[in-house]
Amino acid sequence: MKRTEVAAVLVALLFLCRSGCMEEDTKSLLKTIITGQEKMFQMIDDMSMMKWVLTGQEKIIDKMTDLQNRVSKIEGSQKSPSVQQCSTAHQLAQFYQRLAKDECRDGGHNCSRLARCEDKLIGYRCICMEGYAGNGYQCQDVNECRIGTHKCHSHASCTNTIGSYICKCPPWYTGDGFNCDAPGCNPPAKVIFGLGCVMPDTKKKTWDLAKQSCRDKGARLIEGITPEMLIPLKKNFHEVLEGWLVWIGVKNGRWLTGKIPVTPRSLWRQDEPDGDNQQCGWITLWPVTPYMGDAYCSNASPSLCQRIY
């Protein structure tokens, strides 16, 4: 239908209202009709789509032009409208009242509080907010970190939150978590001469898990410790690691890189390494002079990660 045809239908409908077909107040109905018409033209530019969109309203649309002609005859003869004309007018009124209704604005929708309400030509649609999934009436948090849909940098950690997630660069990187491309050494990590950037991990885990945790951060379990480095390590990390045996990059008495034996012997505690199936290396920073030893790899301890520049 063209806009001129719709306007003609409105004139016919208002005439029938004045003629007593309807009980609604004419001004109120006119406002509803205008609101519905504006909404219709906003949402559908091609009025030829009306028959497709307005399912069940085909018969009403087919009667519109005929209704206009009938009303013109009524105006000329001053006759009262027929039952058929009034029935059509009632259907048109209901049609425009339905168009004018905005459940999103009026609060008459059933969308979840985690969804947004989108007004449609007839009715409305509920769409879950970003970070949530569902049919709009029920929305649940999406764990982007677990399912891998987050946009964190490959070296960043991803922490799920309600409706979103947080990306965080490792201490030896700078960036917002989405981009971590400028290596740095930020607290609690410290730059130790000869060792690069060293970071304590106070979470207790097995040696294998500690090794993997360092790798996930773009680093490794600390290696290459010399007697001269023991005091700087103690000075910087004894407060957070004091009293613990801390995992380092040693297995079977050798550094992980190159499988080179740990020397000199003064690095080790007097009776270490004992070779009694205690294969994974540790260091303790609480004595006056720190020292190294080995223990069962299945023990749970903190660790020291290292990034070489």
Side-chain angles (χ1 to χ4, degrees):
M1 292 183 63
K2 298 178 181 179
R3 293 193 182 203
T4 53
E5 293 175 348
V6 175
V9 171
L10 299 182
V11 173
L13 180 56
L14 288 175
F15 174 80
L16 292 178
C17 290
R18 292 197 304 272
S19 302
C21 274
M22 300 183 180
E23 299 178 357
E24 289 92 346
D25 177 74
T26 303
K27 288 184 178 180
S28 175
L29 185 57
L30 176 60
K31 182 178 180 180
T32 300
I33 291 173
I34 292 174
T35 300
Q37 186 189 27
E38 288 177 348
K39 178 178 175 181
M40 181 168 58
F41 284 125
Q42 286 174 0
M43 293 192 173
I44 299 183
D45 293 330
D46 181 5
M47 295 306 295
S48 64
M49 294 177 61
M50 285 296 293
K51 285 190 178 182
W52 176 76
V53 175
L54 303 174
T55 304
Q57 299 291 337
E58 291 88 349
K59 292 183 180 180
I60 297 176
I61 296 173
D62 292 340
K63 293 179 181 179
M64 285 183 175
T65 304
D66 179 61
L67 177 61
Q68 178 190 1
N69 296 332
R70 288 174 180 269
V71 170
S72 297
K73 293 179 181 179
I74 294 173
E75 288 180 322
S77 61
Q78 297 298 316
K79 294 181 180 179
S80 299
S82 68
V83 173
Q84 181 182 3
Q85 292 163 359
C86 282
S87 174
T88 302
H90 275 289
Q91 292 179 66
L92 288 173
Q94 292 172 0
F95 164 62
Y96 278 105
Q97 286 170 346
R98 191 176 179 191
L99 277 183
K101 190 175 183 180
D102 188 340
E103 295 89 346
C104 298
R105 180 193 60 207
D106 302 334
H109 63 83
N110 293 318
C111 296
S112 165
R113 63 181 181 83
L114 301 175
R116 61 181 176 87
C117 181
E118 183 180 280
D119 187 33
K120 305 296 289 182
L121 185 63
I122 293 181
Y124 60 92
R125 182 172 64 168
C126 301
I127 304 173
C128 292
M129 296 179 184
E130 186 176 357
Y132 297 89
N135 58 11
Y137 300 97
Q138 292 182 337
C139 300
Q140 295 180 335
D141 174 56
V142 174
N143 190 329
E144 297 88 350
C145 300
R146 186 181 67 241
I147 64 178
T149 58
H150 64 83
K151 297 181 180 180
C152 297
H153 189 269
S154 59
H155 286 159
S157 63
C158 179
T159 303
N160 187 61
T161 61
I162 301 300
S164 187
Y165 57 92
I166 297 173
C167 301
K168 187 177 181 180
C169 296
W172 35 78
Y173 280 88
T174 58
D176 59 2
F178 298 96
N179 293 290
C180 305
D181 55 358
C185 193
N186 307 314
K190 299 285 186 178
V191 175
I192 306 296
F193 181 76
L195 292 175
C197 184
V198 180
M199 179 189 177
D201 186 346
T202 57
K203 293 183 179 179
K204 304 175 188 63
K205 51 179 73 75
T206 65
W207 185 87
D208 288 309
L209 290 178
K211 177 184 174 184
Q212 184 60 50
S213 178
C214 289
R215 285 183 176 177
D216 291 343
K217 297 171 184 175
R220 69 183 186 186
L221 281 173
I222 190 171
E223 299 183 36
I225 300 172
T226 65
E228 295 76 21
M229 298 171 183
L230 295 177
I231 298 303
L233 285 172
K234 174 183 175 69
K235 179 180 177 181
N236 286 283
F237 302 119
H238 79 279
E239 290 186 1
V240 292
L241 298 173
E242 186 174 5
W244 289 98
L245 304 181
V246 182
W247 291 131
I248 59 176
V250 174
K251 195 167 187 180
N252 297 324
R254 296 173 179 268
W255 299 114
L256 290 179
T257 302
K259 308 301 181 183
I260 302 172
V262 177
T263 57
R265 184 69 183 81
S266 60
L267 284 170
W268 295 94
R269 191 171 68 177
Q270 185 176 359
D271 55 347
E272 301 283 1
D274 59 18
D276 185 22
N277 294 321
Q278 302 186 52
Q279 301 174 331
C280 293
W282 52 259
I283 188 171
T284 182
L285 302 176
W286 62 268
V288 174
T289 301
Y291 53 81
M292 294 166 44
D294 60 3
Y296 293 112
C297 300
S298 58
N299 290 353
S301 292
S303 54
L304 280 172
C305 296
Q306 170 193 44
R307 180 178 175 85
I308 304 294
Y309 294 106

